[in-house]
Amino acid sequence: MIYLKTREEIEIMRESALLVSRTLAMIAPLVRPGVTPLHLDKLAEEFIRDNGGVPAFKGYKGHGNVPNFPATLCISINEAVVHGIPTNKPLKEGDIASIDCGVKKNGFYGDHAYTFAVGQIKPEVQKLLDVTKESLYKGIEQMISGNRIGDISAAIQKHAEAHGYGIVRELIGHGLGKHLHEDPEVPNYGKPGDGPKIKEGMVLAIEPMINMGKKNVKSLPDGWTIVTQDGLPSAHFEHDVAVVDGKPEILSNYELIEQALALVNF
Ligand code: MG
Ligand code: MG
């Protein structure tokens, strides 16, 4: 069941998405060698609660005998793709950290992610980050009324595979609203013209997870962290996007994050 949103609901969702953006922008200058993921997580939780939201991932139900997710942020380092549990192991120069954050505010969810460079990273790793973010925008461009979900998926796949990267199959984007994960599913691979039709009021979390090497992934024994099988790095960028007047409108905001990064890096 796909729940289409009214203009009013989309405005409420923009607030939720922007609370995630502001949270990521707040921690962005601190994502540097020596900081611990647990410290970032604590700051993020305080910031979200101070701004009238509730962390959406904390307590997210585990499957089988996997415990519920214990943190506000998913922090996935290097070969970790997504769902990394924040630890007290400091980040080091040359790492990449994919940070995914979810909030619930006014009954609606925001869910978006950014992959940060920790200090100086290798040019080939920077290229992975750049291409993954580009592939997200290529997908968003296809989120037009009358297109189909497969048009988004195929655009992401085409761009990432043109650079020889592997596209994770097991984890995908999704509808977003009063639930963190709604229909439709939004894979990062597929065929143009396939899947549900894109309609006015649809809100999606589009989130390519792109591996420098092969597409294959596995779970760590903690039951949450997904890593690449070949141990090569993986990047993750996610935006919340609504169809407004037939066209994609990005509710989340990378400029806030990148302005915060520019201030410390100039
Ligand atoms: Mg997310
Ligand atoms: Mg998501």
Side-chain angles (χ1 to χ4, degrees):
M1 172 90 191
I2 295 172
Y3 298 100
L4 301 174
K5 279 78 184 178
T6 64
R7 288 291 178 99
E8 291 75 18
E9 288 172 323
I10 288 171
E11 286 317 306
I12 296 169
M13 291 195 70
R14 190 193 308 276
E15 211 181 305
S16 301
L18 285 177
L19 178 52
V20 178
S21 305
R22 288 163 56 214
T23 305
L24 293 173
M26 183 270 299
I27 61 170
L30 303 170
V31 184
R32 297 176 80 77
V35 76
T36 69
L38 267 177
H39 179 63
L40 299 174
D41 190 70
K42 182 171 172 283
L43 294 177
E45 177 170 1
E46 284 171 7
F47 186 82
I48 290 165
R49 294 191 191 278
D50 286 349
N51 285 280
V54 175
F57 300 162
K58 195 163 193 172
Y60 192 88
K61 207 169 157 23
H63 49 91
N65 49 14
V66 174
N68 294 349
F69 194 79
T72 294
L73 302 174
C74 296
I75 303 185
S76 309
I77 313 295
N78 298 335
E79 75 279 8
V81 180
V82 286
H83 303 169
I85 298 173
T87 66
N88 57 14
K89 189 181 166 206
L91 299 180
K92 56 184 197 310
E93 185 85 20
D95 283 344
I96 54 170
S98 298
I99 305 187
D100 195 349
C101 179
V103 306
K104 190 179 192 187
K105 187 175 178 182
N106 301 316
F108 284 89
Y109 284 91
D111 171 20
H112 88 118
Y114 193 91
T115 299
F116 295 87
V118 181
Q120 286 293 327
I121 61 173
K122 290 181 188 160
E124 64 264 35
V125 179
Q126 184 62 53
K127 189 183 159 208
L128 173 70
L129 269 47
D130 294 343
V131 169
T132 304
K133 189 162 65 165
E134 288 161 15
S135 73
L136 168 59
Y137 286 102
K138 298 274 184 194
I140 291 170
E141 276 173 23
Q142 297 297 318
M143 195 176 159
I144 296 165
S145 287
N147 270 7
R148 290 184 182 269
I149 296 296
D151 296 306
I152 298 173
S153 306
I156 293 169
Q157 180 176 17
K158 187 178 168 202
H159 189 67
E161 287 184 348
H163 294 271
Y165 296 144
I167 295 162
V168 175
R169 298 300 199 266
E170 290 84 348
L171 299 139
I172 55 180
H174 49 93
L176 186 71
K178 289 182 180 170
H179 304 274
L180 182 57
H181 297 112
E182 297 185 357
D183 289 337
E185 296 187 333
V186 187
N188 297 306
Y189 58 94
K191 291 198 185 72
D194 269 6
K197 209 169 240 182
I198 294 165
K199 293 183 176 163
E200 186 74 15
M202 196 177 257
V203 182
L204 303 177
I206 304 179
E207 49 179 318
M209 289 153 255
I210 307 295
N211 300 344
M212 184 183 276
K214 296 210 160 50
K215 65 180 188 297
N216 311 72
V217 296
K218 61 180 181 181
S219 286
L220 290 187
D222 65 26
W224 282 105
T225 314
I226 306 292
V227 297
T228 59
Q229 280 189 18
D230 59 16
L232 292 174
S234 182
H236 179 214
F237 285 86
E238 178 178 24
H239 263 318
D240 301 338
V241 193
V243 181
V244 177
D245 292 332
K247 298 190 300 288
E249 190 166 310
I250 304 175
L251 305 180
S252 41
N253 186 316
Y254 280 163
E255 282 166 28
L256 294 173
I257 298 168
E258 287 167 359
Q259 282 165 4
L261 288 173
L263 282 175
V264 292
N265 288 335
F266 88 103

